């Protein structure tokens, strides 16, 4: 975004002037040499017109040789072409020509072209340089007043000094406005970059959250379904009733998984109704149902509860639920056929503590160490300033242990 794109609501005449100024600036940026040639050509022609004879109307010495007048005229106008690249050098050359003009008594009006260079200096160089430029331009005025005194010094020097000061102040004002506009443009650009970065971070966080939820939902339910299918296949030949129960449990687990996935995928729909649930939100009251499903899949689970889950916020309840779900899923996958599990949940005054242990092989957590399981548990825990420890238990008894310590919400005592 460029400063020329900012057009404020104002008077039509002001808008016309702004548009004209913007076009001139745009042309200057595209063709700086062409613009410098046009400006320099205009002032050279004007100075040469004055040098053709008009200078004698105000000159105290009308007998200055014409070639010298021509040389001083070109010295006061032609260097203007390089005013932007070497402003102080150009001003030095023009001041030298002005000194010659004042010393000879020609008093050429082309000396006023120095104010164009003064404006460029005020626009681009430090204030100390601007002060030296003003002193340099005052020198020809002093020389002219000494060589050809006409009236008082106030009449010969002060009006020009005031004119120089006004030009310098105008240049400083334009420079300040441009700096301010550039600062606003840069600020707007930074805000756009920050907005895009925030949008990217939010999208990445949402993708991570959805991936974590899908892993927990699909991984757990597929593990339960696999356990039920294996048990049903084993029982089909000996106990058809048990096989039918396993199939019924598989259907129930599948429907639950599909319902959770639908609620999760509603987040990705642009046309989702405003009343749609943004994400599946199991609570601690659903732990019994979760553990029953794991038991139906063939894993004996002992569950103990201390305290009241109502004192835990919804976000923390979801974290506890998912950690228990992931730990039991890993036990189903890796602990072996004879493993048992224990889930202890304690709701204290300041935190909730969960410990999930099993009696399977020490590689129970291997599948989650290098996959998404353990990473997802750590991510959920860190969101609420909690701690999570997972690893093998010493032998005996052996097995695997996951321990979660989660501080309660500030607004939940």
């Amino acid at each position: 975004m460029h400063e020329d794109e900012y057009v404020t609501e104002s008077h039509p005449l002001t808008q016309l002037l702004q548009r004209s100024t913007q076009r001139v600036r745009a042309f200057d940026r595209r063709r700086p040499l062409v613009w410098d040639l046009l400006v320099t050509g205009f002032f050279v022609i004007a100075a040469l017109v004055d040098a053709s004879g008009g200078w004698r109307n105000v000159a105290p010495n009308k007998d200055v040789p014409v070639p010298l007048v021509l040389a001083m005229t070109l010295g006061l106008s032609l260097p203007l072409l390089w005013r932007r690249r070497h402003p102080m050098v150009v001003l030095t050359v023009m001041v030298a020509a002005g000194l010659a003009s004042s010393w000879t008594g020609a008093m050429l009006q082309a000396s006023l072209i120095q104010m164009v260079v003064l404006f460029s200096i005020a626009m681009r160089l430090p204030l100390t340089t601007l002060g030296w430029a003003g002193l340099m331009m005052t020198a020809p005025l002093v020389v002219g007043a000494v060589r050809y005194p006409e009236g008082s010094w106030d009449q010969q020097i002060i009006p020009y000094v005031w004119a120089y000061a006004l030009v310098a102040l105008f240049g400083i004002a334009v420079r300040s406005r441009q700096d301010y506009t550039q600062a606003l443009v840069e600020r707007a650009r930074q805000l756009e970059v920050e907005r895009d970065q925030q949008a990217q971070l939010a999208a990445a966080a949402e993708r991570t959250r959805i991936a974590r939820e899908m892993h927990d939902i699909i991984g757990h339910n597929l593990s339960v379904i696999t356990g039920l299918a294996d048990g049903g296949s084993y029982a089909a030949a000996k106990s058809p009733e048990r096989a039918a129960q396993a199939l019924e449990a598989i259907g129930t687990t599948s429907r639950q998984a599909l319902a959770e996935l639908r609620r999760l995928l509603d987040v990705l729909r642009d046309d989702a109704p405003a009343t749609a649930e943004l994400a599946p939100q199991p609570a601690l009251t659903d732990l019994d149902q979760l553990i029953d499903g794991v038991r139906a899949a063939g894993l004996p689970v002992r569950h103990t509860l201390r305290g009241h889950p109502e004192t835990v916020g919804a976000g923390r309840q979801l974290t506890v639920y998912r950690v228990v779900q992931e730990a039991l899923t890993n036990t189903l996958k890796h602990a072996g056929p004879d493993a048992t599990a224990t889930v202890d949940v304690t709701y204290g005054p300041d935190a909730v503590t969960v410990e999930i242990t099993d009696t399977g092989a020490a590689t129970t957590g291997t599948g989650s160490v290098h996959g998404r399981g353990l990473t997802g548990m750590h991510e959920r825990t860190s969101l609420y300033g909690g701690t999570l420890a997972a690893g093998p238990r010493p032998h005996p008894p052996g097995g695997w242990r996951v321990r979660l310590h989660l501080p309660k919400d500030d607004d939940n005592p």
Side-chain angles (χ1 to χ4, degrees), residues 224-392:
V224 172
I225 290 171
T226 301
L228 291 169
D230 291 342
S233 176
Y234 177 79
K238 298 182 179 181
S239 177
E241 294 181 358
R242 294 290 300 274
Q245 292 175 358
L247 289 175
E248 183 180 354
I250 288 174
T252 301
T253 303
S254 300
R255 284 189 290 272
Q256 291 174 353
L258 286 174
E260 288 193 59
L261 282 176
R262 287 193 187 99
R263 290 196 296 269
L264 175 62
L265 295 178
D266 278 343
V267 179
L268 305 178
R269 291 177 52 196
D270 293 335
D271 58 344
T275 57
E277 295 185 35
L278 296 180
Q281 295 290 328
L284 292 175
T285 53
D286 300 317
L287 273 181
D288 290 337
Q289 183 180 357
L290 170 69
I291 292 173
D292 289 342
V294 174
R295 287 171 179 157
L299 176 65
V301 180
R302 182 174 61 86
H303 178 211
T304 59
L305 174 64
R306 301 177 187 88
H308 302 284
E310 294 80 9
T311 61
V312 183
R316 287 167 169 78
Q317 289 194 38
L318 177 62
T319 298
V320 172
Y321 181 93
R322 291 304 188 198
V323 169
V324 173
Q325 183 184 56
E326 179 62 25
L328 293 178
T329 300
N330 286 332
T331 301
L332 278 173
K333 289 180 180 178
H334 308 290
D338 299 326
T340 61
T342 301
V343 178
D344 293 325
V345 182
T346 302
Y347 303 102
D350 300 320
V352 54
T353 303
V354 183
E355 185 169 279
I356 308 101
T357 59
D358 63 55
T359 60
T363 57
T364 298
T366 302
S368 65
V369 169
H370 300 292
R372 292 183 177 270
L374 189 58
T375 300
M377 287 194 287
H378 278 293
E379 288 175 351
R380 291 180 185 278
T381 304
S382 63
L383 286 176
Y384 298 100
T387 58
L388 181 81

Side-chain angles (χ1 to χ4, degrees), residues 4 22 69 83 99 101-102 123 138 162 195 200 213 217 222 231 263-264 280 318 337 341 345 354 364 392:
D4 293 347
Q22 290 169 2
V69 171
R83 75 188 187 282
L99 286 170
S101 174
S102 297
M123 284 279 293
T138 307
W162 273 112
R195 181 196 63 193
Q200 293 173 1
E213 293 287 344
I217 294 170
L222 285 180
R263 290 196 296 269
L264 175 62
L318 177 62
V345 182
V354 183
T364 298

Side-chain angles (χ1 to χ4, degrees), residues 87-100:
M88 288 304 295
V89 175
V90 169
L91 184 63
T92 301
V93 173
M94 296 176 75
V95 167
L99 286 170

Side-chain angles (χ1 to χ4, degrees), residues 115 118 138 141 154 157-169:
M115 290 192 289
L118 181 66
T138 307
L141 301 178
D154 293 346
I157 297 178
I158 298 302
Y160 291 98
V161 171
W162 273 112
Y164 296 161
L166 290 175
V167 170
L169 290 174

Side-chain angles (χ1 to χ4, degrees), residues 73-95:
T73 299
L74 293 177
L76 288 168
S77 58
L78 192 58
L80 202 63
L81 182 63
W82 297 275
R83 75 188 187 282
R84 285 197 279 196
R85 284 173 290 177
H86 308 288
M88 288 304 295
V89 175
V90 169
L91 184 63
T92 301
V93 173
M94 296 176 75
V95 167

